Amino acid sequence: TQLLEQSPQFLSIQEGENLTVYCNSSSVFSSLQWYRQEPGEGPVLLVTVVTGGEVKKLKRLTFQFGDARKDSSLHITAAQPGDTGLYLCAGASEANAGKSTFGDGTTLTVKP
Amino acid sequence: GAGVSQSPSNKVTEKGKDVELRCDPISGHTALYWYRQRLGQGLEFLIYFQGNSAPDKSGLPSDRFSAERTGESVSTLTIQRTQQEDSAVYLCASSLDGRTGGYTFGSGTRLTVV
């Protein structure tokens, strides 16, 4: 069974601060996704990373895939209240027939 | 359609009743997934369809749960003899071919069993 562990589970910060959340596994993934979920909605895909060491930027969000494709991080610069939500990482592998395994998420609250 | 549509958005049912949850995926997406999310938790895989076939039903919690997909389009998740522990948000997602990750999710059906 492939497991993804996310940390921290909860994070509460002030507007303007920087933060990093982590997604770790002992399994290798062919691709890894990050989603953001707001209350009452389904998760929305933010990014997919597929190459070990890959770094992708989406405005103030920076995503990195570990060299061994077992872990990933999400860094937010100058967080804003609109960044508040549940951040989920998900890994897919050919061994799992493309089915994604989700972490339990990091709940981020950005206070104005 | 433009996105994944789920209905109903909310369902309250009495313990022991059967419920049907519907998912309309994005047109042309061959892969369809059902996940369950309990309050404050991550996503629990239930079942995966490639076309109309379900190669992976490993996540279905018990034989009270079943799902089907027709016309490589609409999917229905049925829960028979509902129990209080079935209360959760049921999320449907679709992807173009299911080979790599990256799903489009619906807004979910919030099921409450009383």
Side-chain angles (χ1 to χ4, degrees):
Chain A
T1 302
Q2 296 178 317
L3 295 175
L4 280 166
E5 294 186 356
Q6 290 190 240
S7 62
Q9 186 177 0
F10 297 97
L11 189 55
S12 181
I13 61 171
Q14 293 294 133
E15 182 176 1
E17 293 183 0
N18 301 332
L19 66 113
T20 302
V21 298
Y22 300 92
C23 176
N24 295 295
S25 176
S26 58
S27 302
V28 176
F29 294 100
S30 56
S31 70
L32 192 140
Q33 289 75 40
W34 284 93
Y35 295 82
R36 181 169 69 213
Q37 184 179 23
E38 298 186 22
E41 298 294 328
V44 174
L45 180 66
L46 296 174
V47 76
T48 295
V49 286
V50 297
T51 305
E54 182 177 3
V55 176
K56 281 192 173 180
K57 293 192 175 184
L58 184 66
K59 296 184 180 177
R60 293 176 294 99
L61 279 60
T62 301
F63 304 86
Q64 184 161 8
F65 202 12
D67 291 341
R69 292 184 291 138
K70 293 182 178 181
D71 53 82
S72 181
S73 63
L74 159 60
H75 182 79
I76 301 179
T77 302
Q80 299 177 1
D83 296 327
T84 293
L86 176 66
Y87 288 82
L88 295 159
C89 67
S93 69
E94 291 184 10
N96 233 3
K99 178 189 73 183
S100 286
T101 299
F102 282 79
D104 283 342
T106 293
T107 299
L108 172 65
T109 303
V110 182
K111 301 174 186 175
Chain B
V4 177
S5 178
Q6 291 188 246
S7 61
S9 55
N10 282 284
K11 176 72 176 179
V12 179
T13 190
E14 292 181 352
K15 179 180 172 182
K17 300 283 189 183
D18 298 351
V19 294
E20 282 190 356
L21 313 180
R22 177 186 170 107
C23 173
D24 283 90
I26 291 175
S27 178
H29 278 196
T30 64
L32 185 148
Y33 309 82
W34 285 98
Y35 284 84
R36 180 168 70 179
Q37 186 175 34
R38 292 202 165 95
L39 187 64
Q41 297 187 13
L43 274 62
E44 175 189 359
F45 170 77
L46 297 178
I47 189 169
Y48 156 55
F49 287 93
Q50 183 63 256
N52 292 331
S53 301
D56 190 345
K57 304 179 183 180
S58 63
L60 293 177
S62 73
D63 59 7
R64 296 187 295 105
F65 287 72
S66 63
E68 65 174 12
R69 188 181 185 194
T70 58
E72 297 197 358
S73 180
V74 173
S75 177
T76 303
L77 176 68
T78 301
I79 309 173
Q80 296 178 311
R81 304 182 302 281
T82 52
Q83 304 294 313
Q84 287 185 330
E85 63 262 27
D86 300 333
S87 296
V89 175
Y90 289 81
L91 290 161
C92 175
S94 69
S95 71
L96 187 60
D97 56 16
R99 290 203 200 106
T100 58
Y103 303 162
T104 301
F105 280 88
S107 296
T109 293
R110 180 175 298 278
L111 176 65
T112 304
V113 182
V114 298

